[in-house]
Amino acid sequence: MSTAIRASSILPGRRENIELHTADGLRLVGELALPADRPPVATLVCLHPLPTHGGMMDSHVFRKAAWRLPALADLAVLRFNTRGTSSLRGTSEGEFDRAVGERYDVAAAIEYAEFAELPDIWLVGWSFGTDLALKYGCDPAIAGAILLSPPLRFSTPEDLATWAASERPLTALVPEFDDYLRPTEARERFGAVPHAEVVGVPGAKHLWVGDAETVLDEIVRRVNPAVEVPLPRTWDGPMEAGDVSAYADRTVASFADTPVPQPGD
């Protein structure tokens, strides 16, 4: 009997806690999710929203990606906490560095994916994570990047010029009612990258609350086009339920005026 896939649904997969080690000597905590009984066809390396205001590896779109996409789309999903960031998985060493020291975090994640021989590595950045992808993600090992709610806050014209000189696919999913960059302005700003694809998402907001399924569909459409989208909204096999209550206080805008507490504060 088919069961509806809900926010807390965990579909079958192989999931293991991992550690990343940065060139400047930090240990970052993370998780790698893989299809249960077959190799992945492509890989998502997830770069989360602003950690000082609630962003982490368990931010809801990335959590749902890790819980669903290995089963629904044959994808590997690598999530991790950037320096100084906490989630239920733990706290990564170091301190938030305003997109400077985080260059080593991005490099460590890409290196891990390469060392693990994960296929067709794509970066998926969300908010602050899009700046990290733009600044540090145009790497020979990367097949392309997908940007969710890009604010273009820390990235520079020089970063866009680097992507413009690359043939790597770059897609920006921009909410119609984003707090920081809306579709019309995004198309103007990303005009510096002639091959960039800017997709306005009607009715959506910066946090993608209520629109996670749309985001996952758009990611899969580009990363594994052999999979039919929209993805199934029901599941016929075994299913577990995850605890999403621990993050109720983190459903805030990434650049909200009031920081949210970290686990254990």
Side-chain angles (χ1 to χ4, degrees), residues 73-149:
D74 293 337
L75 300 184
V77 181
L78 192 161
R79 301 178 290 152
F80 69 101
N81 286 330
T82 57
R83 56 190 58 211
T85 302
S86 295
S87 69
L88 290 183
R89 168 68 181 89
T91 300
S92 290
E93 293 177 348
E95 298 180 355
F96 173 65
D97 199 27
R98 297 182 59 83
V100 178
E102 284 84 0
R103 71 181 304 152
Y104 300 113
D105 304 354
V106 176
I110 295 171
E111 183 181 66
Y112 186 99
E114 284 189 286
F115 183 78
E117 298 184 341
L118 297 174
D120 204 25
I121 305 166
W122 286 71
L123 295 180
V124 181
W126 179 4
S127 194
F128 173 68
T130 68
D131 284 312
L132 298 185
L134 289 170
K135 292 179 74 64
Y136 309 125
C138 198
D139 182 278
I142 295 301
I146 298 172
L147 313 178
L148 314 179
S149 307

Side-chain angles (χ1 to χ4, degrees), residues 157-179:
E158 290 74 20
D159 298 322
L160 292 176
T162 298
W163 281 91
S166 167
E167 296 182 356
R168 293 177 182 82
L170 182 67
T171 297
L173 302 183
V174 183
E176 179 183 7
F177 301 117
D178 194 85
D179 298 286

Side-chain angles (χ1 to χ4, degrees), residues 22-253:
T22 69
D24 61 340
L26 299 181
R27 180 184 62 87
L28 312 179
V29 299
E31 181 204 76
L32 176 62
L34 298 165
D37 55 2
R38 54 196 179 276
V41 301
T43 305
L44 307 180
V45 172
C46 301
L47 306 175
H48 60 68
L50 195 67
T52 54
H53 294 76
M56 52 170 172
M57 61 179 277
D58 278 341
S59 291
H60 79 101
V61 173
F62 291 160
R63 186 174 67 235
K64 292 166 185 172
W67 288 356
R68 301 179 192 179
L69 296 187
L72 295 179
D74 293 337
L75 300 184
V77 181
L78 192 161
R79 301 178 290 152
F80 69 101
N81 286 330
T82 57
R83 56 190 58 211
T85 302
S86 295
S87 69
L88 290 183
R89 168 68 181 89
T91 300
S92 290
E93 293 177 348
E95 298 180 355
F96 173 65
D97 199 27
R98 297 182 59 83
V100 178
E102 284 84 0
R103 71 181 304 152
Y104 300 113
D105 304 354
V106 176
I110 295 171
E111 183 181 66
Y112 186 99
E114 284 189 286
F115 183 78
E117 298 184 341
L118 297 174
D120 204 25
I121 305 166
W122 286 71
L123 295 180
V124 181
W126 179 4
S127 194
F128 173 68
T130 68
D131 284 312
L132 298 185
L134 289 170
K135 292 179 74 64
Y136 309 125
C138 198
D139 182 278
I142 295 301
I146 298 172
L147 313 178
L148 314 179
S149 307
L152 296 177
R153 188 187 194 198
F154 294 97
S155 46
T156 66
E158 290 74 20
D159 298 322
L160 292 176
T162 298
W163 281 91
S166 167
E167 296 182 356
R168 293 177 182 82
L170 182 67
T171 297
L173 302 183
V174 183
E176 179 183 7
F177 301 117
D178 194 85
D179 298 286
Y180 310 104
L181 187 71
R182 296 190 175 185
T184 298
E185 183 184 358
R187 292 187 179 96
E188 295 174 358
R189 300 281 298 276
F190 280 100
V193 185
H195 65 276
E197 177 189 20
V198 177
V199 180
V201 182
K205 297 183 180 180
H206 189 76
L207 293 178
W208 302 103
V209 174
D211 290 295
E213 286 74 19
T214 298
V215 172
L216 298 183
D217 287 345
E218 294 299 325
I219 291 172
V220 170
R221 190 191 307 276
R222 289 156 181 82
V223 174
N224 188 4
V227 173
E228 183 177 350
V229 294
L231 296 169
R233 304 311 195 227
T234 61
W235 181 253
D236 290 330
M239 179 190 298
E240 299 179 8
D243 180 12
V244 299
S245 63
Y247 298 121
D249 61 352
R250 291 189 168 213
T251 305
V252 295

